């Protein structure tokens, strides 16, 4: 088991926290939380836990409610939860599984059983992460791929429309990329794409979706930015790429930028407007930003 995996142990009893930690010592890294609210906060922080051991009977917010909130939040929904509780009735266990837990350990617990179940679910999580890496990430740049982008964009469009908040998309194309491949070779072209991808990812916030949509095209999707802040963010992306200079090559990008409006019924509509703006940026000299109307 990789020692980089992390388990979050949640219990309002310091003695139980200590006992659970001793059960899984050496299997993984650990974080602790003493309440449901603290669990929700820690689970959303980077690096996120790979597994949560969650007490059911806690004051203010019990484990069932905490688990439901974890599963309702896209940021924490994929983290598996094991309930650790003194409740031993079948209905209690059934309720725990119904709200999204993957397993149920009853108190008093045996250390060997705790360790075995944690090890099992960490292994499953590691395998799931590897599958997700293949399904949702671009293998060259490590960014999200187009499949993931289109999937999450639907959710962001719905949220923006329902809550009436801004949503922006940047359609990005590496200028003269064919010439880079022709003059320097495809292996250098790949390095350019990797460095562009790293710079784009570094320029964004944790909540941004940065994806390689294909070839030398990238997309950044971000929300909760007013006009001036969003425009400055796009300009900073232009500047970040222009300063790269991989293998002594002057690399620039063109950007088409669009903000969600009443005419956008879905993400395809928003993306199309950004694509038209990108075409204008290419026509008007490249290494520039054009805003869609």
């Amino acid at each position: 088991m990789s020692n980089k995996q992390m388990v979050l142990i949640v219990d309002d009893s310091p003695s139980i926290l200590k006992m659970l930690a001793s059960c899984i010592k050496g299997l993984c890294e650990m974080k602790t939380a003493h309440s449901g609210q603290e669990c929700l906060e820690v689970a959303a922080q980077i690096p996120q836990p790979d597994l949560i051991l969650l007490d059911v009977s806690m004051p203010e917010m019990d484990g069932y409610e905490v688990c439901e909130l974890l599963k309702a939040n896209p940021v924490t929904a994929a983290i598996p939860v094991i309930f650790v509780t003194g409740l031993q009735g079948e209905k209690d266990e059934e309720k725990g599984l119904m709200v999204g837990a993957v397993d149920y350990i009853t108190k008093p617990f045996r250390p060997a059983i705790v360790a075995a179940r944690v090890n099992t679910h960490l292994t499953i999580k590691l395998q799931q992460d590897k599958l997700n890496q293949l399904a949702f990430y671009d293998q060259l740049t490590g960014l999200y791929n187009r499949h993931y982008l289109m999937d999450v964009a639907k959710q962001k469009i719905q949220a923006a429309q329902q809550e009436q908040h801004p949503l922006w998309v940047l359609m990005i194309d590496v200028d003269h990329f064919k010439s880079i491949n022709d003059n320097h070779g495809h292996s250098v072209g790949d390095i350019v794409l990797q460095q562009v991808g790293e710079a784009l990812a570094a320029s964004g916030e944790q909540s941004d979706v940065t994806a390689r949509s294909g070839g030398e095209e990238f997309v950044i999707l971000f929300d909760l930015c007013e006009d001036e802040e969003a425009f400055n963010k796009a300009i900073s992306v232009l500047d970040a790429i222009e300063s790269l200079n991989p293998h002594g090559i002057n690399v620039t990008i063109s950007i088409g930028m669009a903000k969600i409006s009443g005419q956008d019924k879905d993400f395809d509509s928003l993306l199309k407007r950004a694509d038209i703006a990108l075409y204008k940026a290419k026509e008007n000299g490249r290494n520039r930003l054009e805003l869609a109307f």
Side-chain angles (χ1 to χ4, degrees):
M1 184 60 57
S2 169
N3 59 10
K4 291 185 179 179
Q5 287 190 289
M6 181 182 296
V7 173
L8 171 60
I9 308 173
V10 187
D11 202 297
D12 60 316
S13 167
S15 61
I16 296 295
L17 284 176
K18 186 175 181 179
M19 290 172 61
L20 286 170
S22 68
C23 292
I24 60 175
K25 184 179 180 181
L27 281 178
C28 55
E29 295 179 0
M30 288 175 277
K31 286 184 178 180
T32 59
H34 299 82
S35 68
Q37 184 58 44
E38 187 180 1
C39 170
L40 297 175
E41 294 170 358
V42 174
Q45 295 172 1
I46 302 296
Q48 289 185 275
D50 295 286
L51 178 67
I52 299 175
L53 294 181
L54 180 59
D55 184 27
V56 171
S57 301
M58 294 185 293
E60 298 181 8
M61 188 187 304
D62 68 23
Y64 297 133
E65 185 179 355
V66 173
C67 188
E68 288 179 323
L69 291 171
L70 287 168
K71 297 305 171 182
N73 183 350
V75 175
T76 56
I79 305 173
V81 174
I82 298 178
F83 278 126
V84 183
T85 179
L87 303 174
Q88 300 186 21
E90 289 185 4
K91 290 186 177 180
D92 297 311
E93 183 173 353
E94 181 181 351
K95 182 177 180 179
L97 298 175
M98 288 291 290
V99 298
V102 296
D103 209 340
Y104 202 90
I105 298 174
T106 56
K107 301 174 184 176
F109 46 78
R110 292 170 53 195
I113 296 299
V114 174
R117 293 191 177 181
V118 166
N119 186 65
T120 294
H121 288 290
L122 284 177
T123 300
I124 293 171
K125 180 62 163 55
L126 185 63
Q127 293 169 344
Q128 186 63 50
D129 287 346
K130 289 180 178 178
L131 289 174
N132 288 342
Q133 185 73 25
L134 293 174
F136 299 137
Y137 291 87
D138 174 61
Q139 298 305 297
L140 177 64
T141 64
L143 299 177
Y144 291 120
N145 59 23
R146 184 176 180 84
H147 173 76
Y148 180 86
L149 170 70
M150 301 305 289
D151 188 48
V152 76
K154 293 178 182 178
Q155 303 171 25
K156 285 190 171 287
I157 283 279
Q158 291 176 353
Q161 290 171 336
Q162 291 172 1
E163 300 169 19
Q164 297 293 301
H165 65 64
L167 179 67
W168 297 87
V169 63
L170 302 182
M171 191 79 177
I172 300 166
D173 187 86
V174 179
D175 295 328
H176 303 296
F177 185 71
K178 184 178 184 301
S179 295
I180 294 175
N181 276 336
D182 291 345
N183 295 328
H184 302 278
H186 287 274
S187 60
V188 172
D190 285 349
I191 292 172
V192 168
L193 292 177
Q194 288 171 339
Q195 292 196 17
V196 167
E198 289 173 3
L200 294 178
S203 68
E205 304 294 331
Q206 181 182 332
S207 59
D208 294 353
V209 178
T210 304
R212 183 185 179 200
S213 61
E216 66 271 24
E217 289 190 345
F218 299 83
V219 173
I220 300 178
L221 188 64
F222 61 96
D223 50 17
L224 304 179
C225 270
E226 296 305 326
D227 294 3
E228 183 177 358
E229 182 184 357
F231 182 79
N232 290 337
K233 185 171 185 172
I235 292 297
S236 71
V237 170
L238 273 176
D239 294 340
I241 302 304
E242 191 173 15
S243 66
L244 284 179
N245 201 36
H247 281 264
I249 302 170
N250 180 31
V251 178
T252 63
I253 57 174
S254 298
I255 301 178
M257 181 176 186
K259 178 184 180 181
I260 191 172
S261 68
Q263 64 183 296
D264 297 312
K265 302 303 181 184
D266 53 30
F267 182 62
D268 287 338
S269 172
L270 178 62
L271 194 63
K272 183 177 181 179
R273 292 198 297 116
D275 196 33
I276 292 171
L278 172 62
Y279 183 76
K280 289 181 180 178
K282 293 285 190 182
E283 275 192 329
N284 292 334
R286 296 181 169 86
N287 190 23
R288 61 183 290 119
L289 166 70
E290 291 286 345
L291 186 60
F293 295 100

